[in-house]
mmCIF file of all heavy atoms in Angstrom:
data_model
loop_
_atom_site.group_PDB
_atom_site.id
_atom_site.type_symbol
_atom_site.label_atom_id
_atom_site.label_comp_id
_atom_site.label_asym_id
_atom_site.label_seq_id
_atom_site.Cartn_x
_atom_site.Cartn_y
_atom_site.Cartn_z
ATOM 1 N N LEU A 1 -9.431 -1.303 -6.100
ATOM 2 C CA LEU A 1 -8.536 -0.154 -6.253
ATOM 3 C C LEU A 1 -8.390 0.507 -4.902
ATOM 4 O O LEU A 1 -9.393 0.808 -4.235
ATOM 5 C CB LEU A 1 -9.118 0.867 -7.246
ATOM 6 C CG LEU A 1 -8.438 2.244 -7.233
ATOM 7 C CD1 LEU A 1 -7.054 2.187 -7.866
ATOM 8 C CD2 LEU A 1 -9.305 3.297 -7.921
ATOM 9 N N VAL A 2 -7.152 0.735 -4.481
ATOM 10 C CA VAL A 2 -6.865 1.538 -3.293
ATOM 11 C C VAL A 2 -6.103 2.767 -3.768
ATOM 12 O O VAL A 2 -5.015 2.645 -4.344
ATOM 13 C CB VAL A 2 -6.029 0.762 -2.258
ATOM 14 C CG1 VAL A 2 -5.789 1.625 -1.027
ATOM 15 C CG2 VAL A 2 -6.709 -0.541 -1.866
ATOM 16 N N LEU A 3 -6.670 3.938 -3.554
ATOM 17 C CA LEU A 3 -6.106 5.185 -4.060
ATOM 18 C C LEU A 3 -5.767 6.087 -2.889
ATOM 19 O O LEU A 3 -6.643 6.427 -2.080
ATOM 20 C CB LEU A 3 -7.123 5.877 -4.975
ATOM 21 C CG LEU A 3 -6.643 7.094 -5.763
ATOM 22 C CD1 LEU A 3 -5.687 6.654 -6.876
ATOM 23 C CD2 LEU A 3 -7.833 7.847 -6.351
ATOM 24 N N LEU A 4 -4.498 6.478 -2.783
ATOM 25 C CA LEU A 4 -4.101 7.364 -1.692
ATOM 26 C C LEU A 4 -4.572 8.788 -1.976
ATOM 27 O O LEU A 4 -4.350 9.329 -3.061
ATOM 28 C CB LEU A 4 -2.588 7.357 -1.504
ATOM 29 C CG LEU A 4 -2.103 8.172 -0.304
ATOM 30 C CD1 LEU A 4 -2.458 7.478 1.006
ATOM 31 C CD2 LEU A 4 -0.600 8.438 -0.362
ATOM 32 N N ILE A 5 -5.224 9.376 -0.988
ATOM 33 C CA ILE A 5 -5.659 10.772 -1.072
ATOM 34 C C ILE A 5 -4.670 11.674 -0.347
ATOM 35 O O ILE A 5 -4.264 12.715 -0.857
ATOM 36 C CB ILE A 5 -7.072 10.930 -0.460
ATOM 37 C CG1 ILE A 5 -8.064 9.947 -1.117
ATOM 38 C CG2 ILE A 5 -7.549 12.368 -0.609
ATOM 39 C CD1 ILE A 5 -8.209 10.090 -2.611
ATOM 40 N N ASP A 6 -4.270 11.254 0.853
ATOM 41 C CA ASP A 6 -3.348 12.074 1.644
ATOM 42 C C ASP A 6 -2.745 11.216 2.747
ATOM 43 O O ASP A 6 -3.392 10.290 3.249
ATOM 44 C CB ASP A 6 -4.107 13.258 2.263
ATOM 45 C CG ASP A 6 -3.211 14.166 3.105
ATOM 46 O OD1 ASP A 6 -2.100 14.486 2.634
ATOM 47 O OD2 ASP A 6 -3.613 14.543 4.217
ATOM 48 N N ARG A 7 -1.503 11.492 3.106
ATOM 49 C CA ARG A 7 -0.940 10.947 4.334
ATOM 50 C C ARG A 7 -0.220 12.085 5.033
ATOM 51 O O ARG A 7 0.583 12.794 4.434
ATOM 52 C CB ARG A 7 -0.047 9.726 4.118
ATOM 53 C CG ARG A 7 1.079 9.859 3.156
ATOM 54 C CD ARG A 7 1.820 8.535 3.004
ATOM 55 N NE ARG A 7 2.698 8.240 4.140
ATOM 56 C CZ ARG A 7 2.978 7.016 4.560
ATOM 57 N NH1 ARG A 7 2.420 5.955 3.987
ATOM 58 N NH2 ARG A 7 3.820 6.816 5.562
ATOM 59 N N HIS A 8 -0.549 12.263 6.306
ATOM 60 C CA HIS A 8 -0.080 13.426 7.051
ATOM 61 C C HIS A 8 0.572 12.978 8.354
ATOM 62 O O HIS A 8 -0.080 12.355 9.190
ATOM 63 C CB HIS A 8 -1.265 14.359 7.350
ATOM 64 C CG HIS A 8 -0.913 15.521 8.216
ATOM 65 N ND1 HIS A 8 -0.131 16.571 7.776
ATOM 66 C CD2 HIS A 8 -1.223 15.794 9.516
ATOM 67 C CE1 HIS A 8 0.010 17.447 8.759
ATOM 68 N NE2 HIS A 8 -0.635 16.995 9.819
ATOM 69 N N ASN A 9 1.846 13.251 8.487
ATOM 70 C CA ASN A 9 2.569 13.031 9.738
ATOM 71 C C ASN A 9 2.509 11.572 10.194
ATOM 72 O O ASN A 9 2.333 11.280 11.366
ATOM 73 C CB ASN A 9 2.013 13.958 10.840
ATOM 74 C CG ASN A 9 2.822 13.892 12.136
ATOM 75 O OD1 ASN A 9 4.057 13.790 12.107
ATOM 76 N ND2 ASN A 9 2.139 13.914 13.268
ATOM 77 N N ILE A 10 2.658 10.642 9.251
ATOM 78 C CA ILE A 10 2.659 9.229 9.639
ATOM 79 C C ILE A 10 3.890 8.524 9.074
ATOM 80 O O ILE A 10 4.497 8.970 8.093
ATOM 81 C CB ILE A 10 1.396 8.474 9.181
ATOM 82 C CG1 ILE A 10 1.274 8.501 7.646
ATOM 83 C CG2 ILE A 10 0.159 9.005 9.842
ATOM 84 C CD1 ILE A 10 0.224 7.538 7.117
ATOM 85 N N VAL A 11 4.231 7.412 9.696
ATOM 86 C CA VAL A 11 5.242 6.509 9.171
ATOM 87 C C VAL A 11 4.603 5.134 9.012
ATOM 88 O O VAL A 11 3.611 4.805 9.663
ATOM 89 C CB VAL A 11 6.475 6.417 10.090
ATOM 90 C CG1 VAL A 11 7.206 7.741 10.125
ATOM 91 C CG2 VAL A 11 6.080 6.004 11.501
ATOM 92 N N SER A 12 5.197 4.342 8.108
ATOM 93 C CA SER A 12 4.745 2.993 7.787
ATOM 94 C C SER A 12 3.465 3.052 6.943
ATOM 95 O O SER A 12 3.307 3.939 6.119
ATOM 96 C CB SER A 12 4.562 2.140 9.041
ATOM 97 O OG SER A 12 4.451 0.775 8.685
ATOM 98 N N GLY A 13 2.546 2.109 7.116
ATOM 99 C CA GLY A 13 1.419 1.985 6.206
ATOM 100 C C GLY A 13 1.836 1.299 4.917
ATOM 101 O O GLY A 13 1.463 1.710 3.822
ATOM 102 N N THR A 14 2.598 0.225 5.051
ATOM 103 C CA THR A 14 3.091 -0.526 3.900
ATOM 104 C C THR A 14 2.074 -1.583 3.476
ATOM 105 O O THR A 14 1.618 -2.381 4.295
ATOM 106 C CB THR A 14 4.432 -1.215 4.230
ATOM 107 O OG1 THR A 14 5.405 -0.209 4.530
ATOM 108 C CG2 THR A 14 4.916 -2.061 3.069
ATOM 109 N N THR A 15 1.723 -1.573 2.204
ATOM 110 C CA THR A 15 0.819 -2.573 1.651
ATOM 111 C C THR A 15 1.599 -3.847 1.358
ATOM 112 O O THR A 15 2.673 -3.797 0.741
ATOM 113 C CB THR A 15 0.171 -2.054 0.368
ATOM 114 O OG1 THR A 15 -0.604 -0.889 0.665
ATOM 115 C CG2 THR A 15 -0.745 -3.109 -0.258
ATOM 116 N N THR A 16 1.080 -4.981 1.803
ATOM 117 C CA THR A 16 1.699 -6.272 1.517
ATOM 118 C C THR A 16 0.709 -7.141 0.753
ATOM 119 O O THR A 16 -0.496 -7.123 1.015
ATOM 120 C CB THR A 16 2.129 -6.994 2.809
ATOM 121 O OG1 THR A 16 0.981 -7.222 3.645
ATOM 122 C CG2 THR A 16 3.137 -6.150 3.582
ATOM 123 N N ILE A 17 1.229 -7.891 -0.206
ATOM 124 C CA ILE A 17 0.417 -8.770 -1.043
ATOM 125 C C ILE A 17 0.887 -10.204 -0.806
ATOM 126 O O ILE A 17 2.092 -10.478 -0.807
ATOM 127 C CB ILE A 17 0.548 -8.418 -2.535
ATOM 128 C CG1 ILE A 17 0.247 -6.924 -2.777
ATOM 129 C CG2 ILE A 17 -0.370 -9.300 -3.368
ATOM 130 C CD1 ILE A 17 -1.169 -6.510 -2.514
ATOM 131 N N HIS A 18 -0.079 -11.109 -0.624
ATOM 132 C CA HIS A 18 0.256 -12.475 -0.237
ATOM 133 C C HIS A 18 -0.456 -13.491 -1.117
ATOM 134 O O HIS A 18 -1.580 -13.265 -1.568
ATOM 135 C CB HIS A 18 -0.153 -12.720 1.224
ATOM 136 C CG HIS A 18 0.470 -11.766 2.195
ATOM 137 N ND1 HIS A 18 1.562 -12.092 2.956
ATOM 138 C CD2 HIS A 18 0.142 -10.478 2.513
ATOM 139 C CE1 HIS A 18 1.896 -11.050 3.714
ATOM 140 N NE2 HIS A 18 1.051 -10.060 3.451
ATOM 141 N N ASP A 19 0.206 -14.632 -1.302
ATOM 142 C CA ASP A 19 -0.408 -15.758 -1.977
ATOM 143 C C ASP A 19 -1.380 -16.454 -1.023
ATOM 144 O O ASP A 19 -1.443 -16.140 0.161
ATOM 145 C CB ASP A 19 0.684 -16.731 -2.430
ATOM 146 C CG ASP A 19 0.271 -17.539 -3.658
ATOM 147 O OD1 ASP A 19 -0.942 -17.565 -3.956
ATOM 148 O OD2 ASP A 19 1.153 -18.137 -4.294
ATOM 149 N N ARG A 20 -2.112 -17.424 -1.552
ATOM 150 C CA ARG A 20 -3.090 -18.141 -0.729
ATOM 151 C C ARG A 20 -2.460 -18.850 0.460
ATOM 152 O O ARG A 20 -3.109 -19.033 1.490
ATOM 153 C CB ARG A 20 -3.855 -19.152 -1.594
ATOM 154 C CG ARG A 20 -4.767 -18.510 -2.627
ATOM 155 C CD ARG A 20 -5.426 -19.565 -3.501
ATOM 156 N NE ARG A 20 -6.300 -18.958 -4.500
ATOM 157 C CZ ARG A 20 -7.570 -18.671 -4.319
ATOM 158 N NH1 ARG A 20 -8.139 -18.932 -3.147
ATOM 159 N NH2 ARG A 20 -8.294 -18.129 -5.275
ATOM 160 N N ASP A 21 -1.191 -19.253 0.320
ATOM 161 C CA ASP A 21 -0.525 -19.947 1.417
ATOM 162 C C ASP A 21 0.141 -18.988 2.409
ATOM 163 O O ASP A 21 0.809 -19.416 3.349
ATOM 164 C CB ASP A 21 0.513 -20.940 0.889
ATOM 165 C CG ASP A 21 1.653 -20.257 0.110
ATOM 166 O OD1 ASP A 21 1.676 -19.000 0.056
ATOM 167 O OD2 ASP A 21 2.501 -20.976 -0.441
ATOM 168 N N GLY A 22 -0.073 -17.665 2.196
ATOM 169 C CA GLY A 22 0.479 -16.663 3.092
ATOM 170 C C GLY A 22 1.828 -16.130 2.697
ATOM 171 O O GLY A 22 2.324 -15.166 3.310
ATOM 172 N N SER A 23 2.470 -16.704 1.689
ATOM 173 C CA SER A 23 3.791 -16.224 1.284
ATOM 174 C C SER A 23 3.696 -14.827 0.679
ATOM 175 O O SER A 23 2.722 -14.482 0.002
ATOM 176 C CB SER A 23 4.423 -17.188 0.283
ATOM 177 O OG SER A 23 3.612 -17.338 -0.860
ATOM 178 N N LEU A 24 4.712 -14.015 0.950
ATOM 179 C CA LEU A 24 4.731 -12.624 0.499
ATOM 180 C C LEU A 24 5.063 -12.549 -0.984
ATOM 181 O O LEU A 24 6.091 -13.074 -1.434
ATOM 182 C CB LEU A 24 5.752 -11.838 1.312
ATOM 183 C CG LEU A 24 5.864 -10.343 1.008
ATOM 184 C CD1 LEU A 24 4.589 -9.612 1.423
ATOM 185 C CD2 LEU A 24 7.078 -9.745 1.725
ATOM 186 N N LEU A 25 4.200 -11.894 -1.744
ATOM 187 C CA LEU A 25 4.416 -11.717 -3.174
ATOM 188 C C LEU A 25 5.014 -10.357 -3.506
ATOM 189 O O LEU A 25 5.665 -10.192 -4.537
ATOM 190 C CB LEU A 25 3.092 -11.881 -3.923
ATOM 191 C CG LEU A 25 2.415 -13.250 -3.830
ATOM 192 C CD1 LEU A 25 1.072 -13.225 -4.544
ATOM 193 C CD2 LEU A 25 3.303 -14.339 -4.405
ATOM 194 N N GLY A 26 4.768 -9.367 -2.656
ATOM 195 C CA GLY A 26 5.277 -8.032 -2.921
ATOM 196 C C GLY A 26 4.847 -7.071 -1.838
ATOM 197 O O GLY A 26 3.950 -7.366 -1.033
ATOM 198 N N SER A 27 5.495 -5.904 -1.796
ATOM 199 C CA SER A 27 5.124 -4.864 -0.839
ATOM 200 C C SER A 27 5.513 -3.511 -1.394
ATOM 201 O O SER A 27 6.444 -3.392 -2.199
ATOM 202 C CB SER A 27 5.793 -5.099 0.520
ATOM 203 O OG SER A 27 7.203 -4.973 0.413
ATOM 204 N N PHE A 28 4.770 -2.486 -0.988
ATOM 205 C CA PHE A 28 5.028 -1.114 -1.420
ATOM 206 C C PHE A 28 4.271 -0.191 -0.477
ATOM 207 O O PHE A 28 3.353 -0.625 0.229
ATOM 208 C CB PHE A 28 4.574 -0.891 -2.875
ATOM 209 C CG PHE A 28 3.209 -1.447 -3.168
ATOM 210 C CD1 PHE A 28 2.066 -0.700 -2.913
ATOM 211 C CD2 PHE A 28 3.064 -2.730 -3.676
ATOM 212 C CE1 PHE A 28 0.800 -1.215 -3.164
ATOM 213 C CE2 PHE A 28 1.797 -3.258 -3.932
ATOM 214 C CZ PHE A 28 0.671 -2.500 -3.676
ATOM 215 N N THR A 29 4.647 1.070 -0.473
ATOM 216 C CA THR A 29 4.001 2.053 0.390
ATOM 217 C C THR A 29 3.426 3.178 -0.450
ATOM 218 O O THR A 29 4.146 3.776 -1.269
ATOM 219 C CB THR A 29 4.995 2.623 1.421
ATOM 220 O OG1 THR A 29 5.566 1.541 2.161
ATOM 221 C CG2 THR A 29 4.296 3.567 2.390
ATOM 222 N N LEU A 30 2.138 3.439 -0.282
ATOM 223 C CA LEU A 30 1.506 4.572 -0.951
ATOM 224 C C LEU A 30 1.909 5.833 -0.202
ATOM 225 O O LEU A 30 1.586 6.000 0.968
ATOM 226 C CB LEU A 30 -0.012 4.407 -0.940
ATOM 227 C CG LEU A 30 -0.568 3.076 -1.480
ATOM 228 C CD1 LEU A 30 -2.095 3.078 -1.416
ATOM 229 C CD2 LEU A 30 -0.074 2.790 -2.880
ATOM 230 N N THR A 31 2.631 6.717 -0.866
ATOM 231 C CA THR A 31 3.175 7.897 -0.185
ATOM 232 C C THR A 31 2.716 9.224 -0.768
ATOM 233 O O THR A 31 2.693 10.229 -0.060
ATOM 234 C CB THR A 31 4.716 7.868 -0.207
ATOM 235 O OG1 THR A 31 5.168 7.844 -1.569
ATOM 236 C CG2 THR A 31 5.247 6.644 0.527
ATOM 237 N N ALA A 32 2.343 9.264 -2.046
ATOM 238 C CA ALA A 32 1.970 10.511 -2.709
ATOM 239 C C ALA A 32 0.516 10.438 -3.152
ATOM 240 O O ALA A 32 0.012 9.358 -3.485
ATOM 241 C CB ALA A 32 2.871 10.764 -3.920
ATOM 242 N N PRO A 33 -0.184 11.578 -3.178
ATOM 243 C CA PRO A 33 -1.559 11.561 -3.670
ATOM 244 C C PRO A 33 -1.659 10.895 -5.038
ATOM 245 O O PRO A 33 -0.821 11.124 -5.913
ATOM 246 C CB PRO A 33 -1.915 13.053 -3.745
ATOM 247 C CG PRO A 33 -1.065 13.687 -2.693
ATOM 248 C CD PRO A 33 0.232 12.932 -2.737
ATOM 249 N N LEU A 34 -2.667 10.035 -5.191
ATOM 250 C CA LEU A 34 -2.958 9.257 -6.391
ATOM 251 C C LEU A 34 -2.069 8.025 -6.554
ATOM 252 O O LEU A 34 -2.265 7.265 -7.512
ATOM 253 C CB LEU A 34 -2.917 10.115 -7.661
ATOM 254 C CG LEU A 34 -4.042 11.140 -7.804
ATOM 255 C CD1 LEU A 34 -3.804 12.037 -9.011
ATOM 256 C CD2 LEU A 34 -5.396 10.459 -7.931
ATOM 257 N N ASP A 35 -1.104 7.792 -5.665
ATOM 258 C CA ASP A 35 -0.469 6.471 -5.652
ATOM 259 C C ASP A 35 -1.572 5.439 -5.493
ATOM 260 O O ASP A 35 -2.522 5.636 -4.718
ATOM 261 C CB ASP A 35 0.505 6.340 -4.478
ATOM 262 C CG ASP A 35 1.871 6.944 -4.751
ATOM 263 O OD1 ASP A 35 2.078 7.496 -5.846
ATOM 264 O OD2 ASP A 35 2.732 6.852 -3.849
ATOM 265 N N ALA A 36 -1.464 4.328 -6.215
ATOM 266 C CA ALA A 36 -2.576 3.379 -6.247
ATOM 267 C C ALA A 36 -2.093 1.942 -6.197
ATOM 268 O O ALA A 36 -1.000 1.611 -6.676
ATOM 269 C CB ALA A 36 -3.415 3.589 -7.510
ATOM 270 N N ALA A 37 -2.939 1.100 -5.624
ATOM 271 C CA ALA A 37 -2.770 -0.347 -5.687
ATOM 272 C C ALA A 37 -4.000 -0.918 -6.363
ATOM 273 O O ALA A 37 -5.132 -0.587 -5.981
ATOM 274 C CB ALA A 37 -2.611 -0.928 -4.290
ATOM 275 N N LEU A 38 -3.790 -1.758 -7.356
ATOM 276 C CA LEU A 38 -4.877 -2.491 -7.990
ATOM 277 C C LEU A 38 -4.667 -3.971 -7.722
ATOM 278 O O LEU A 38 -3.562 -4.486 -7.877
ATOM 279 C CB LEU A 38 -4.932 -2.207 -9.484
ATOM 280 C CG LEU A 38 -5.460 -0.803 -9.777
ATOM 281 C CD1 LEU A 38 -4.336 0.085 -10.260
ATOM 282 C CD2 LEU A 38 -6.584 -0.847 -10.791
#
């Protein structure tokens, strides 16, 4: 579990998810408190 607590004065920080061969399966950015990646 990755749980966002705060982000202050930053840009980017995009989470990327990849298959075993490195191919991109998805991406999203945690921007608000309690946004989460499981």
Side-chain angles (χ1 to χ4, degrees):
L1 166 72
V2 182
L3 189 71
L4 185 72
I5 306 302
D6 180 45
R7 54 183 284 149
H8 175 71
N9 186 38
I10 61 168
V11 294
S12 194
T14 298
T15 298
T16 60
I17 307 294
H18 303 260
D19 207 344
R20 292 177 180 272
D21 63 4
S23 59
L24 182 67
L25 297 176
S27 65
F28 46 86
T29 304
L30 307 181
T31 59
L34 291 173
D35 278 1
L38 287 108

